[in-house]
Amino acid sequence: MSCEHHPVRAYELLSPIPYLQPALEIPYCHHEKWDGSGYPRGLKGSQIPLAARIFAVVDVWDAMISDRPYRKAWSKEKAIEHIKLGSGTHFDPQVVKKFLLDLEDNDPTRRV
């Protein structure tokens, strides 16, 4: 199974579980991209459920700032720059804006 099929497979595996019904749009649509170039359905902009748009940013953030077997974690600054660069293409610009504001508000090194 290619990686592009995992959202469909996740949907198929999780859909029989009644209490997960309200959240199925997240695993199914979190690889859709704001510009329509994502998968599995090629949804674009507000066609992508809001929960999946939010999760897409958070998922990429977590992947970048976490160590992986194949690479070390990125710095938070590098990850922020990557997310900013994806705003309007990969990510919903409003979600990116809110995410970055929340990061700043919760930064323990921030001076008040």
Side-chain angles (χ1 to χ4, degrees):
M1 172 174 37
S2 76
C3 70
E4 289 189 8
H5 289 100
H6 88 264
V8 174
R9 186 70 178 128
Y11 181 85
E12 291 169 352
L13 289 169
L14 300 173
S15 61
I17 304 169
Y19 72 90
L20 293 179
Q21 295 293 317
L24 285 176
E25 62 192 15
I26 296 170
Y28 190 48
C29 298
H30 76 284
H31 283 291
E32 301 288 357
K33 293 184 180 180
W34 188 250
D35 66 4
S37 66
Y39 59 88
R41 297 185 291 162
L43 300 178
K44 182 178 184 176
S46 62
Q47 294 174 323
I48 305 164
L50 179 59
R53 287 184 265 152
I54 293 167
F55 187 82
V57 174
V58 173
D59 186 43
V60 169
W61 170 259
D62 179 65
M64 290 185 300
I65 66 164
S66 301
D67 284 335
R68 300 294 188 189
Y70 50 87
R71 65 150 178 82
K72 293 299 250 174
W74 289 12
S75 70
K76 288 184 179 181
E77 294 76 19
K78 184 177 177 181
I80 288 169
E81 188 60 30
H82 180 80
I83 288 174
K84 285 180 180 178
L85 287 171
S87 179
T89 54
H90 188 145
F91 308 115
D92 175 340
Q94 291 299 97
V95 171
V96 169
K97 181 178 178 180
K98 178 66 173 140
F99 178 79
L100 295 175
L101 285 171
D102 286 351
L103 271 182
E104 186 178 312
D105 288 346
N106 292 301
D107 181 357
T109 64
R110 185 174 140 252
R111 292 190 179 143
V112 182

